[in-house]
Amino acid sequence: MWIIPRILLNRILDHAQRSLPAECVGILSGQGKTVLGWHPLTNQWSDGRRFLADSTELIALLRQLRETGRELVAIYHSHPQSAASPSLTDVQQAHYPDALYLIVSLQTNGRLEMNGYLIRDGQTEVQELMITD
């Protein structure tokens, strides 16, 4: 089970809404399956159907995490116009097999739709999420 503090979930949702009509993208850091930090990244694509994290920001963040003893726990992004499930592009571009891929849908009529997946070798596996206060 992956543990995500509600305050960080709220930041992800705010990032997703502010990024419209584009997808948002960011990293969640921590230890093991426990999220401790939120790190929004710039999406270099604005077409609303995919994301590409700014490589300079990502490299700097990965260096910072290594220096502080934290790990890349999850990669989050939004789906402004589709469900919170991995697209074919998401699966093809999943390069971190041990990371949680957290997807937030914004087409939910006011109800949170967020799902987490492990994506390995082209296969997706739904993960259990626990939101803590």
Side-chain angles (χ1 to χ4, degrees), residues 62-121:
L62 293 175
R63 183 177 298 123
Q64 175 191 7
L65 294 179
R66 188 172 49 250
E67 291 170 357
T68 60
R70 288 202 179 172
E71 304 169 349
L72 183 157
V73 172
I75 300 166
Y76 74 85
H77 74 281
S78 60
H79 282 181
Q81 301 174 21
S82 61
S85 58
S87 67
L88 178 60
T89 301
D90 293 338
V91 173
Q92 292 172 338
Q93 296 180 350
H95 301 297
Y96 294 86
D98 296 324
L100 176 71
Y101 285 84
L102 192 64
I103 303 172
V104 176
S105 173
L106 296 177
Q107 294 296 306
T108 60
N109 297 324
R111 185 181 57 82
L112 173 62
E113 183 183 341
M114 177 183 71
N115 294 309
Y117 302 87
L118 286 180
I119 305 176
R120 295 180 174 146
D121 300 321

Short mmCIF file of all heavy atoms in Angstrom, two decimals, residues 62-121:
data_model
loop_
_atom_site.label_atom_id
_atom_site.label_comp_id
_atom_site.label_asym_id
_atom_site.label_seq_id
_atom_site.Cartn_x
_atom_site.Cartn_y
_atom_site.Cartn_z
N LEU A 62 16.48 15.11 -9.23
CA LEU A 62 17.04 13.79 -8.91
C LEU A 62 18.35 13.93 -8.14
O LEU A 62 18.62 13.17 -7.20
CB LEU A 62 17.22 12.95 -10.18
CG LEU A 62 15.92 12.55 -10.88
CD1 LEU A 62 16.21 11.83 -12.19
CD2 LEU A 62 15.03 11.72 -9.98
N ARG A 63 19.16 14.92 -8.50
CA ARG A 63 20.41 15.18 -7.77
C ARG A 63 20.09 15.61 -6.33
O ARG A 63 20.70 15.12 -5.37
CB ARG A 63 21.21 16.26 -8.49
CG ARG A 63 22.56 16.54 -7.83
CD ARG A 63 23.38 17.57 -8.60
NE ARG A 63 23.69 17.05 -9.93
CZ ARG A 63 23.38 17.67 -11.07
NH1 ARG A 63 22.77 18.84 -11.04
NH2 ARG A 63 23.70 17.16 -12.23
N GLN A 64 19.12 16.50 -6.18
CA GLN A 64 18.73 16.97 -4.85
C GLN A 64 18.21 15.82 -3.99
O GLN A 64 18.57 15.71 -2.82
CB GLN A 64 17.65 18.05 -4.97
CG GLN A 64 17.10 18.52 -3.65
CD GLN A 64 15.86 19.39 -3.81
OE1 GLN A 64 15.32 19.55 -4.90
NE2 GLN A 64 15.40 19.95 -2.71
N LEU A 65 17.40 14.95 -4.56
CA LEU A 65 16.87 13.82 -3.81
C LEU A 65 18.00 12.91 -3.34
O LEU A 65 18.02 12.45 -2.20
CB LEU A 65 15.86 13.03 -4.65
CG LEU A 65 14.56 13.75 -4.99
CD1 LEU A 65 13.66 12.86 -5.83
CD2 LEU A 65 13.83 14.22 -3.75
N ARG A 66 18.94 12.64 -4.22
CA ARG A 66 20.08 11.78 -3.88
C ARG A 66 20.87 12.41 -2.73
O ARG A 66 21.26 11.70 -1.79
CB ARG A 66 20.95 11.57 -5.11
CG ARG A 66 22.05 10.56 -4.94
CD ARG A 66 22.80 10.22 -6.22
NE ARG A 66 23.22 11.40 -6.98
CZ ARG A 66 22.70 11.79 -8.14
NH1 ARG A 66 21.73 11.09 -8.71
NH2 ARG A 66 23.15 12.86 -8.77
N GLU A 67 21.09 13.72 -2.79
CA GLU A 67 21.87 14.40 -1.75
C GLU A 67 21.17 14.43 -0.41
O GLU A 67 21.82 14.50 0.63
CB GLU A 67 22.19 15.82 -2.21
CG GLU A 67 23.18 15.88 -3.36
CD GLU A 67 23.33 17.26 -3.97
OE1 GLU A 67 22.62 18.20 -3.53
OE2 GLU A 67 24.15 17.40 -4.89
N THR A 68 19.84 14.39 -0.41
CA THR A 68 19.08 14.45 0.85
C THR A 68 18.61 13.08 1.33
O THR A 68 17.92 12.99 2.35
CB THR A 68 17.85 15.38 0.70
OG1 THR A 68 17.01 14.87 -0.34
CG2 THR A 68 18.27 16.80 0.40
N GLY A 69 18.99 12.03 0.61
CA GLY A 69 18.64 10.68 1.05
C GLY A 69 17.21 10.28 0.77
O GLY A 69 16.73 9.29 1.32
N ARG A 70 16.53 11.03 -0.08
CA ARG A 70 15.17 10.65 -0.46
C ARG A 70 15.18 9.95 -1.81
O ARG A 70 16.15 10.04 -2.56
CB ARG A 70 14.26 11.88 -0.53
CG ARG A 70 13.93 12.42 0.83
CD ARG A 70 12.69 13.24 0.81
NE ARG A 70 12.36 13.74 2.14
CZ ARG A 70 11.42 14.60 2.37
NH1 ARG A 70 10.70 15.09 1.39
NH2 ARG A 70 11.17 14.99 3.59
N GLU A 71 14.09 9.27 -2.09
CA GLU A 71 13.96 8.52 -3.33
C GLU A 71 12.83 9.08 -4.18
O GLU A 71 11.90 9.69 -3.66
CB GLU A 71 13.60 7.05 -3.02
CG GLU A 71 14.55 6.34 -2.11
CD GLU A 71 13.99 5.01 -1.64
OE1 GLU A 71 12.79 4.72 -1.84
OE2 GLU A 71 14.77 4.24 -1.05
N LEU A 72 12.90 8.83 -5.46
CA LEU A 72 11.77 9.07 -6.35
C LEU A 72 10.78 7.93 -6.05
O LEU A 72 11.07 6.78 -6.31
CB LEU A 72 12.21 9.03 -7.81
CG LEU A 72 11.15 9.32 -8.86
CD1 LEU A 72 11.82 9.79 -10.14
CD2 LEU A 72 10.25 8.15 -9.14
N VAL A 73 9.64 8.28 -5.45
CA VAL A 73 8.64 7.28 -5.05
C VAL A 73 7.56 7.16 -6.13
O VAL A 73 7.12 6.07 -6.44
CB VAL A 73 8.01 7.65 -3.69
CG1 VAL A 73 6.85 6.74 -3.35
CG2 VAL A 73 9.07 7.61 -2.60
N ALA A 74 7.17 8.31 -6.69
CA ALA A 74 6.05 8.30 -7.65
C ALA A 74 6.24 9.40 -8.68
O ALA A 74 6.87 10.42 -8.42
CB ALA A 74 4.72 8.48 -6.92
N ILE A 75 5.64 9.16 -9.83
CA ILE A 75 5.54 10.15 -10.89
C ILE A 75 4.05 10.41 -11.07
O ILE A 75 3.29 9.46 -11.27
CB ILE A 75 6.16 9.64 -12.19
CG1 ILE A 75 7.64 9.32 -11.97
CG2 ILE A 75 5.97 10.65 -13.33
CD1 ILE A 75 8.26 8.49 -13.07
N TYR A 76 3.64 11.66 -10.95
CA TYR A 76 2.23 11.95 -11.12
C TYR A 76 2.01 12.78 -12.37
O TYR A 76 2.89 13.52 -12.81
CB TYR A 76 1.64 12.65 -9.89
CG TYR A 76 2.03 14.09 -9.70
CD1 TYR A 76 1.32 15.11 -10.35
CD2 TYR A 76 3.08 14.44 -8.88
CE1 TYR A 76 1.67 16.44 -10.18
CE2 TYR A 76 3.44 15.77 -8.70
CZ TYR A 76 2.73 16.76 -9.35
OH TYR A 76 3.07 18.08 -9.18
N HIS A 77 0.84 12.62 -12.95
CA HIS A 77 0.41 13.50 -14.03
C HIS A 77 -1.11 13.48 -14.10
O HIS A 77 -1.76 12.66 -13.48
CB HIS A 77 1.06 13.13 -15.37
CG HIS A 77 0.54 11.90 -16.03
ND1 HIS A 77 0.91 10.63 -15.65
CD2 HIS A 77 -0.32 11.74 -17.06
CE1 HIS A 77 0.31 9.74 -16.42
NE2 HIS A 77 -0.45 10.40 -17.28
N SER A 78 -1.65 14.43 -14.85
CA SER A 78 -3.10 14.54 -14.96
C SER A 78 -3.56 14.14 -16.35
O SER A 78 -2.79 14.17 -17.31
CB SER A 78 -3.55 15.98 -14.66
OG SER A 78 -2.96 16.88 -15.58
N HIS A 79 -4.81 13.74 -16.41
CA HIS A 79 -5.50 13.50 -17.68
C HIS A 79 -6.67 14.48 -17.73
O HIS A 79 -7.73 14.23 -17.16
CB HIS A 79 -6.01 12.05 -17.75
CG HIS A 79 -4.97 11.05 -18.08
ND1 HIS A 79 -5.25 9.71 -18.21
CD2 HIS A 79 -3.65 11.18 -18.34
CE1 HIS A 79 -4.15 9.06 -18.52
NE2 HIS A 79 -3.15 9.92 -18.58
N PRO A 80 -6.50 15.62 -18.39
CA PRO A 80 -7.55 16.62 -18.43
C PRO A 80 -8.85 16.16 -19.10
O PRO A 80 -9.91 16.65 -18.76
CB PRO A 80 -6.93 17.78 -19.22
CG PRO A 80 -5.46 17.59 -19.07
CD PRO A 80 -5.26 16.11 -19.01
N GLN A 81 -8.75 15.22 -20.04
CA GLN A 81 -9.93 14.84 -20.81
C GLN A 81 -10.19 13.34 -20.84
O GLN A 81 -10.96 12.88 -21.68
CB GLN A 81 -9.76 15.36 -22.24
CG GLN A 81 -9.60 16.86 -22.31
CD GLN A 81 -9.30 17.34 -23.71
OE1 GLN A 81 -9.56 16.67 -24.68
NE2 GLN A 81 -8.75 18.54 -23.81
N SER A 82 -9.57 12.60 -19.93
CA SER A 82 -9.80 11.15 -19.93
C SER A 82 -9.70 10.59 -18.52
O SER A 82 -9.37 11.31 -17.57
CB SER A 82 -8.81 10.45 -20.87
OG SER A 82 -7.48 10.67 -20.43
N ALA A 83 -9.98 9.32 -18.39
CA ALA A 83 -10.01 8.64 -17.10
C ALA A 83 -8.61 8.55 -16.48
O ALA A 83 -7.59 8.73 -17.16
CB ALA A 83 -10.58 7.24 -17.27
N ALA A 84 -8.57 8.23 -15.21
CA ALA A 84 -7.32 8.10 -14.47
C ALA A 84 -6.73 6.71 -14.65
O ALA A 84 -6.52 5.97 -13.68
CB ALA A 84 -7.56 8.42 -13.00
N SER A 85 -6.48 6.36 -15.89
CA SER A 85 -5.84 5.08 -16.20
C SER A 85 -4.77 5.33 -17.25
O SER A 85 -4.87 6.28 -18.04
CB SER A 85 -6.86 4.06 -16.69
OG SER A 85 -7.55 4.54 -17.82
N PRO A 86 -3.72 4.50 -17.27
CA PRO A 86 -2.61 4.76 -18.18
C PRO A 86 -3.01 4.68 -19.65
O PRO A 86 -3.69 3.74 -20.06
CB PRO A 86 -1.61 3.66 -17.85
CG PRO A 86 -2.00 3.12 -16.53
CD PRO A 86 -3.49 3.34 -16.42
N SER A 87 -2.59 5.66 -20.40
CA SER A 87 -2.77 5.64 -21.85
C SER A 87 -1.67 4.76 -22.45
O SER A 87 -0.70 4.40 -21.77
CB SER A 87 -2.67 7.05 -22.42
OG SER A 87 -1.34 7.54 -22.27
N LEU A 88 -1.79 4.46 -23.71
CA LEU A 88 -0.76 3.70 -24.41
C LEU A 88 0.58 4.45 -24.33
O LEU A 88 1.63 3.84 -24.08
CB LEU A 88 -1.16 3.45 -25.87
CG LEU A 88 -0.15 2.70 -26.72
CD1 LEU A 88 0.14 1.32 -26.13
CD2 LEU A 88 -0.67 2.57 -28.15
N THR A 89 0.53 5.76 -24.50
CA THR A 89 1.75 6.58 -24.39
C THR A 89 2.34 6.48 -22.99
O THR A 89 3.55 6.36 -22.83
CB THR A 89 1.46 8.04 -24.75
OG1 THR A 89 0.95 8.09 -26.09
CG2 THR A 89 2.69 8.91 -24.63
N ASP A 90 1.49 6.54 -21.94
CA ASP A 90 1.97 6.41 -20.57
C ASP A 90 2.72 5.10 -20.39
O ASP A 90 3.80 5.06 -19.79
CB ASP A 90 0.82 6.47 -19.56
CG ASP A 90 0.14 7.81 -19.50
OD1 ASP A 90 0.74 8.84 -19.90
OD2 ASP A 90 -1.03 7.85 -19.06
N VAL A 91 2.17 4.02 -20.90
CA VAL A 91 2.78 2.69 -20.75
C VAL A 91 4.10 2.63 -21.53
O VAL A 91 5.10 2.14 -21.01
CB VAL A 91 1.81 1.58 -21.21
CG1 VAL A 91 2.49 0.22 -21.23
CG2 VAL A 91 0.57 1.55 -20.31
N GLN A 92 4.10 3.16 -22.72
CA GLN A 92 5.31 3.11 -23.55
C GLN A 92 6.44 3.95 -22.98
O GLN A 92 7.61 3.64 -23.20
CB GLN A 92 4.99 3.58 -24.97
CG GLN A 92 4.11 2.62 -25.74
CD GLN A 92 3.64 3.19 -27.07
OE1 GLN A 92 3.63 4.41 -27.28
NE2 GLN A 92 3.26 2.31 -27.98
N GLN A 93 6.10 4.99 -22.25
CA GLN A 93 7.12 5.90 -21.72
C GLN A 93 7.39 5.71 -20.24
O GLN A 93 8.00 6.57 -19.60
CB GLN A 93 6.73 7.34 -22.02
CG GLN A 93 6.69 7.63 -23.50
CD GLN A 93 6.30 9.05 -23.83
OE1 GLN A 93 5.88 9.82 -22.98
NE2 GLN A 93 6.42 9.40 -25.10
N ALA A 94 6.97 4.59 -19.68
CA ALA A 94 7.19 4.30 -18.26
C ALA A 94 8.60 3.72 -18.09
O ALA A 94 8.83 2.55 -18.38
CB ALA A 94 6.12 3.33 -17.76
N HIS A 95 9.53 4.55 -17.63
CA HIS A 95 10.93 4.15 -17.52
C HIS A 95 11.40 3.90 -16.09
O HIS A 95 12.58 3.66 -15.87
CB HIS A 95 11.82 5.21 -18.17
CG HIS A 95 11.50 5.44 -19.62
ND1 HIS A 95 11.62 4.46 -20.58
CD2 HIS A 95 11.01 6.53 -20.25
CE1 HIS A 95 11.27 4.95 -21.76
NE2 HIS A 95 10.87 6.21 -21.58
N TYR A 96 10.49 3.97 -15.14
CA TYR A 96 10.83 3.75 -13.74
C TYR A 96 9.96 2.60 -13.19
O TYR A 96 8.90 2.85 -12.62
CB TYR A 96 10.59 5.03 -12.92
CG TYR A 96 11.51 6.17 -13.30
CD1 TYR A 96 11.20 7.03 -14.35
CD2 TYR A 96 12.71 6.38 -12.61
CE1 TYR A 96 12.05 8.08 -14.70
CE2 TYR A 96 13.56 7.43 -12.96
CZ TYR A 96 13.22 8.26 -14.01
OH TYR A 96 14.06 9.29 -14.35
N PRO A 97 10.41 1.37 -13.34
CA PRO A 97 9.56 0.22 -13.00
C PRO A 97 9.21 0.10 -11.52
O PRO A 97 8.23 -0.56 -11.18
CB PRO A 97 10.38 -0.99 -13.47
CG PRO A 97 11.78 -0.50 -13.55
CD PRO A 97 11.72 0.96 -13.86
N ASP A 98 9.98 0.73 -10.63
CA ASP A 98 9.67 0.64 -9.20
C ASP A 98 8.88 1.82 -8.68
O ASP A 98 8.50 1.86 -7.51
CB ASP A 98 10.97 0.49 -8.40
CG ASP A 98 11.69 -0.81 -8.74
OD1 ASP A 98 11.01 -1.82 -8.99
OD2 ASP A 98 12.93 -0.79 -8.78
N ALA A 99 8.63 2.80 -9.54
CA ALA A 99 7.88 4.00 -9.13
C ALA A 99 6.38 3.78 -9.31
O ALA A 99 5.94 3.08 -10.22
CB ALA A 99 8.33 5.20 -9.95
N LEU A 100 5.62 4.42 -8.45
CA LEU A 100 4.18 4.49 -8.60
C LEU A 100 3.87 5.52 -9.67
O LEU A 100 4.44 6.62 -9.66
CB LEU A 100 3.54 4.91 -7.28
CG LEU A 100 2.03 5.13 -7.29
CD1 LEU A 100 1.30 3.80 -7.44
CD2 LEU A 100 1.59 5.85 -6.02
N TYR A 101 3.01 5.19 -10.61
CA TYR A 101 2.52 6.16 -11.59
C TYR A 101 1.13 6.57 -11.13
O TYR A 101 0.20 5.78 -11.15
CB TYR A 101 2.50 5.55 -13.00
CG TYR A 101 3.88 5.45 -13.58
CD1 TYR A 101 4.70 4.37 -13.29
CD2 TYR A 101 4.39 6.47 -14.37
CE1 TYR A 101 5.99 4.29 -13.79
CE2 TYR A 101 5.68 6.41 -14.88
CZ TYR A 101 6.47 5.31 -14.58
OH TYR A 101 7.75 5.25 -15.08
N LEU A 102 1.03 7.81 -10.66
CA LEU A 102 -0.21 8.34 -10.10
C LEU A 102 -0.87 9.22 -11.16
O LEU A 102 -0.25 10.16 -11.66
CB LEU A 102 0.12 9.16 -8.85
CG LEU A 102 -1.02 9.57 -7.95
CD1 LEU A 102 -1.68 8.33 -7.34
CD2 LEU A 102 -0.49 10.47 -6.85
N ILE A 103 -2.11 8.89 -11.50
CA ILE A 103 -2.82 9.62 -12.55
C ILE A 103 -4.10 10.22 -11.96
O ILE A 103 -4.88 9.52 -11.31
CB ILE A 103 -3.17 8.69 -13.73
CG1 ILE A 103 -1.89 8.05 -14.27
CG2 ILE A 103 -3.90 9.47 -14.82
CD1 ILE A 103 -2.14 6.97 -15.30
N VAL A 104 -4.29 11.51 -12.22
CA VAL A 104 -5.47 12.23 -11.75
C VAL A 104 -6.30 12.63 -12.97
O VAL A 104 -5.78 13.25 -13.90
CB VAL A 104 -5.07 13.49 -10.96
CG1 VAL A 104 -6.29 14.28 -10.56
CG2 VAL A 104 -4.24 13.13 -9.75
N SER A 105 -7.57 12.28 -12.97
CA SER A 105 -8.48 12.70 -14.04
C SER A 105 -9.19 13.97 -13.61
O SER A 105 -9.61 14.11 -12.46
CB SER A 105 -9.51 11.62 -14.33
OG SER A 105 -10.47 12.10 -15.25
N LEU A 106 -9.34 14.89 -14.55
CA LEU A 106 -10.07 16.14 -14.28
C LEU A 106 -11.45 16.14 -14.92
O LEU A 106 -12.14 17.14 -14.89
CB LEU A 106 -9.25 17.33 -14.76
CG LEU A 106 -7.91 17.51 -14.03
CD1 LEU A 106 -7.14 18.67 -14.63
CD2 LEU A 106 -8.13 17.71 -12.55
N GLN A 107 -11.87 15.03 -15.48
CA GLN A 107 -13.19 14.90 -16.10
C GLN A 107 -14.11 14.10 -15.19
O GLN A 107 -14.60 13.03 -15.55
CB GLN A 107 -13.06 14.22 -17.46
CG GLN A 107 -12.30 15.05 -18.47
CD GLN A 107 -13.03 16.35 -18.79
OE1 GLN A 107 -14.20 16.35 -19.17
NE2 GLN A 107 -12.33 17.45 -18.65
N THR A 108 -14.34 14.59 -13.98
CA THR A 108 -15.03 13.79 -12.97
C THR A 108 -16.23 14.45 -12.34
O THR A 108 -16.78 13.93 -11.38
CB THR A 108 -14.04 13.44 -11.85
OG1 THR A 108 -13.57 14.66 -11.27
CG2 THR A 108 -12.87 12.62 -12.36
N ASN A 109 -16.66 15.59 -12.82
CA ASN A 109 -17.83 16.28 -12.26
C ASN A 109 -17.72 16.50 -10.75
O ASN A 109 -18.64 16.19 -10.00
CB ASN A 109 -19.11 15.51 -12.59
CG ASN A 109 -19.35 15.45 -14.08
OD1 ASN A 109 -19.06 16.41 -14.80
ND2 ASN A 109 -19.86 14.33 -14.56
N GLY A 110 -16.57 17.00 -10.30
CA GLY A 110 -16.40 17.35 -8.90
C GLY A 110 -15.99 16.21 -7.99
O GLY A 110 -15.84 16.40 -6.79
N ARG A 111 -15.83 15.01 -8.51
CA ARG A 111 -15.43 13.86 -7.70
C ARG A 111 -13.99 13.50 -8.04
O ARG A 111 -13.61 13.47 -9.20
CB ARG A 111 -16.35 12.67 -8.01
CG ARG A 111 -16.11 11.45 -7.16
CD ARG A 111 -17.04 10.31 -7.56
NE ARG A 111 -16.90 9.92 -8.96
CZ ARG A 111 -15.95 9.11 -9.44
NH1 ARG A 111 -15.04 8.61 -8.64
NH2 ARG A 111 -15.90 8.82 -10.72
N LEU A 112 -13.19 13.22 -7.02
CA LEU A 112 -11.79 12.88 -7.25
C LEU A 112 -11.69 11.51 -7.92
O LEU A 112 -12.27 10.52 -7.44
CB LEU A 112 -11.02 12.84 -5.93
CG LEU A 112 -9.58 12.32 -6.02
CD1 LEU A 112 -8.73 13.21 -6.92
CD2 LEU A 112 -8.98 12.20 -4.64
N GLU A 113 -11.00 11.47 -9.02
CA GLU A 113 -10.65 10.19 -9.66
C GLU A 113 -9.15 10.17 -9.78
O GLU A 113 -8.56 10.90 -10.58
CB GLU A 113 -11.29 10.02 -11.03
CG GLU A 113 -10.96 8.67 -11.63
CD GLU A 113 -11.51 8.48 -13.03
OE1 GLU A 113 -12.43 9.20 -13.43
OE2 GLU A 113 -10.99 7.59 -13.73
N MET A 114 -8.53 9.35 -8.94
CA MET A 114 -7.08 9.21 -8.93
C MET A 114 -6.75 7.75 -8.74
O MET A 114 -7.33 7.08 -7.88
CB MET A 114 -6.48 10.03 -7.79
CG MET A 114 -4.98 9.89 -7.67
SD MET A 114 -4.32 10.79 -6.26
CE MET A 114 -4.93 9.78 -4.91
N ASN A 115 -5.84 7.25 -9.55
CA ASN A 115 -5.42 5.85 -9.44
C ASN A 115 -3.91 5.76 -9.55
O ASN A 115 -3.27 6.59 -10.19
CB ASN A 115 -6.07 5.00 -10.54
CG ASN A 115 -7.56 4.90 -10.38
OD1 ASN A 115 -8.07 4.57 -9.32
ND2 ASN A 115 -8.28 5.22 -11.43
N GLY A 116 -3.36 4.74 -8.91
CA GLY A 116 -1.93 4.50 -8.96
C GLY A 116 -1.65 3.15 -9.60
O GLY A 116 -2.40 2.19 -9.41
N TYR A 117 -0.55 3.11 -10.32
CA TYR A 117 -0.18 1.90 -11.07
C TYR A 117 1.32 1.66 -10.98
O TYR A 117 2.11 2.61 -10.95
CB TYR A 117 -0.53 2.05 -12.55
CG TYR A 117 -1.97 2.33 -12.81
CD1 TYR A 117 -2.45 3.64 -12.80
CD2 TYR A 117 -2.88 1.30 -13.05
CE1 TYR A 117 -3.80 3.91 -13.01
CE2 TYR A 117 -4.21 1.57 -13.27
CZ TYR A 117 -4.66 2.87 -13.25
OH TYR A 117 -5.99 3.14 -13.46
N LEU A 118 1.69 0.40 -10.99
CA LEU A 118 3.05 0.03 -11.35
C LEU A 118 3.00 -0.30 -12.83
O LEU A 118 2.06 -0.97 -13.28
CB LEU A 118 3.53 -1.18 -10.55
CG LEU A 118 3.87 -0.95 -9.08
CD1 LEU A 118 4.33 -2.25 -8.44
CD2 LEU A 118 4.93 0.14 -8.91
N ILE A 119 3.98 0.14 -13.58
CA ILE A 119 4.03 -0.14 -15.01
C ILE A 119 5.39 -0.76 -15.29
O ILE A 119 6.43 -0.09 -15.18
CB ILE A 119 3.82 1.13 -15.86
CG1 ILE A 119 2.50 1.82 -15.48
CG2 ILE A 119 3.84 0.78 -17.35
CD1 ILE A 119 2.25 3.15 -16.19
N ARG A 120 5.35 -2.05 -15.64
CA ARG A 120 6.59 -2.81 -15.88
C ARG A 120 6.43 -3.64 -17.14
O ARG A 120 5.46 -4.39 -17.27
CB ARG A 120 6.89 -3.74 -14.72
CG ARG A 120 7.17 -3.05 -13.42
CD ARG A 120 7.45 -4.03 -12.31
NE ARG A 120 7.87 -3.33 -11.11
CZ ARG A 120 7.57 -3.74 -9.90
NH1 ARG A 120 6.87 -4.84 -9.72
NH2 ARG A 120 7.99 -3.05 -8.86
N ASP A 121 7.41 -3.51 -18.02
CA ASP A 121 7.44 -4.33 -19.23
C ASP A 121 6.12 -4.28 -20.00
O ASP A 121 5.63 -5.30 -20.48
CB ASP A 121 7.79 -5.78 -18.89
CG ASP A 121 9.15 -5.90 -18.23
OD1 ASP A 121 10.07 -5.18 -18.66
OD2 ASP A 121 9.29 -6.70 -17.28
#
